[in-house]
Amino acid sequence: MKVEYRACRKCKLLVDAKNCPVHPEEKTTKEWFGFVFIESPDESTLARESGFTSKGRYAIKVR
Ligand SMILES: [Zn+2]
């Protein structure tokens, strides 16, 4: 079964819920493209530059 991920418009975190766990007031969207998996945010330049502060999947582009 395929999980349809949704992305938070604020932090780009990919979740399978209708709202972001970090921003409960923010509705997630299916309109996103590409994703990165951040394993250790402290050691990742990409994570630092993109503002991804916790481990998880993030969308590269959110509409
Ligand atoms: Zn969020």
Side-chain angles (χ1 to χ4, degrees):
M1 202 173 80
K2 186 174 162 269
V3 180
E4 276 210 53
Y5 283 110
R6 308 171 64 95
C8 172
R9 286 178 208 271
K10 249 183 197 166
C11 63
K12 297 183 177 176
L13 181 68
L14 290 177
V15 291
D16 56 6
K18 285 210 162 70
N19 292 81
C20 175
V22 187
H23 311 99
E25 79 286 357
E26 198 70 27
K27 282 217 165 47
T28 54
T29 175
K30 280 197 257 180
E31 304 282 308
W32 57 270
F33 305 92
F35 76 88
V36 287
F37 182 70
I38 303 296
E39 184 77 51
S40 24
D42 297 338
E43 294 160 29
S44 168
T45 312
L46 177 72
R48 259 201 309 273
E49 284 176 353
S50 313
F52 304 150
T53 50
S54 49
K55 183 178 165 178
R57 285 184 181 81
Y58 291 88
I60 291 170
K61 216 175 186 133
V62 179
R63 266 221 295 251

